[in-house]
Amino acid sequence: MSDKFIYKTIDSEITDALLKIKGSKFYGLLFNVSNEQEIKNYLQYSQELYPNATHYCYAYRLGISGELYRANDDGEPSGTAGLPIYNQLLSSELTNVILIVVRYFGGTKLGVGGLIKAYKESAQHTIESAKIIIRELSEKYELTFDYTHQSSVMTLLKKLNIDILNSNFYEKCNLCIEIPMKKKNLFFEKFDSHIAQHFVSINMIP
């Protein structure tokens, strides 16, 4: 995707996309992830969901352009499992996801070509079972200001179509907002030139 502020990912997790190939069962699992710790957690979760499987092969991509990635064959012949899974993530342009294919060996060896085909088809089937969505990069900020400037603040947010996630109105006005990255420069231009002097604080929320 050419837009540096958006990426493709999945709406919700998949845990049971099943394919049966020559007696072997291949279960596909697909999860949203944002860091390597979540990846480790989901790999452990896959083993809890499917204990005593023979292989837990996977691939993941992290980052808006998938700059962090890995493919793992988990004991299958080199290049027969992790890479076919990874290639399906690439062809679908999915990122910030991990796709795990769990195999229960059914007694019939598939051979190198058969394994590549099986893991490719399982990964493909898993992705097709998911709802793919477009997500937009954004940052969250907390704004605190006096009541007397509420109108000018709200006007700016409405004009730029900035979402208010939550609000509190006590001694001061306190808003949590989400700014799309593609609007960030424009927002701070308007903010600095019109109403920055009225703010008690503006802080980014990690």
Side-chain angles (χ1 to χ4, degrees):
M1 301 181 75
S2 57
D3 192 325
K4 63 180 180 179
F5 297 123
I6 62 174
Y7 63 96
K8 281 185 182 180
T9 192
I10 59 168
D11 184 45
S12 57
E13 66 184 34
I14 301 292
T15 59
D16 57 358
L18 172 63
L19 276 187
K20 296 179 181 179
I21 301 173
K22 293 186 177 179
S24 285
K25 293 180 180 179
F26 295 83
Y27 291 93
L29 302 87
L30 187 57
F31 302 100
N32 282 309
V33 290
S34 57
N35 56 62
E36 293 186 353
Q37 184 58 52
E38 289 180 354
I39 287 166
K40 291 178 182 177
N41 292 344
Y42 280 123
L43 286 170
Q44 182 177 343
Y45 180 54
S46 70
Q47 295 176 26
E48 293 170 359
L49 276 181
Y50 298 100
N52 305 316
T54 45
H55 301 281
Y56 303 87
C57 307
Y58 66 91
Y60 66 78
R61 298 181 76 215
L62 289 176
I64 192 166
S65 57
E67 55 267 26
L68 293 175
Y69 61 90
R70 187 181 177 191
N72 189 293
D73 296 310
D74 192 37
E76 295 282 31
S78 181
T80 62
L83 188 57
I85 296 170
Y86 175 72
N87 285 337
Q88 290 305 301
L89 294 180
L90 276 183
S91 64
S92 301
E93 298 183 312
L94 290 177
T95 191
N96 289 345
V97 296
I98 181 170
L99 202 166
I100 307 164
V101 177
V102 176
R103 182 189 182 191
Y104 285 88
F105 180 58
T108 301
K109 291 186 177 181
L110 301 179
V112 169
L115 284 172
I116 292 172
K117 185 172 183 290
Y119 280 101
K120 174 188 174 182
E121 289 180 354
S122 180
Q124 192 173 41
H125 174 59
T126 305
I127 292 170
E128 289 172 352
S129 301
K131 179 183 177 182
I132 295 175
I133 57 173
I134 303 293
R135 281 200 175 154
E136 189 172 9
L137 288 182
S138 63
E139 291 178 347
K140 296 177 182 177
Y141 289 86
E142 183 180 48
L143 310 182
T144 306
F145 51 93
D146 293 325
Y147 277 94
T148 52
H149 307 300
Q150 183 176 352
S151 177
S152 57
V153 172
M154 293 300 190
T155 298
L156 175 62
L157 296 179
K158 185 176 181 180
K159 184 176 180 180
L160 297 182
N161 198 24
I162 302 296
D163 288 336
I164 299 173
L165 302 180
N166 56 61
S167 59
N168 290 305
F169 299 97
Y170 296 111
E171 294 181 3
K172 301 284 187 181
C173 300
N174 185 276
L175 301 179
C176 175
I177 65 172
E178 186 168 15
I179 305 173
M181 292 297 288
K182 66 183 179 183
K183 295 181 181 179
K184 182 179 176 181
N185 288 342
L186 179 60
F187 171 81
F188 279 101
E189 278 178 24
K190 300 288 187 184
F191 171 78
D192 290 337
S193 62
H194 295 296
I195 54 178
Q197 68 272 23
H198 303 318
F199 276 76
V200 175
S201 67
I202 176 168
N203 296 306
M204 185 176 176
I205 301 172

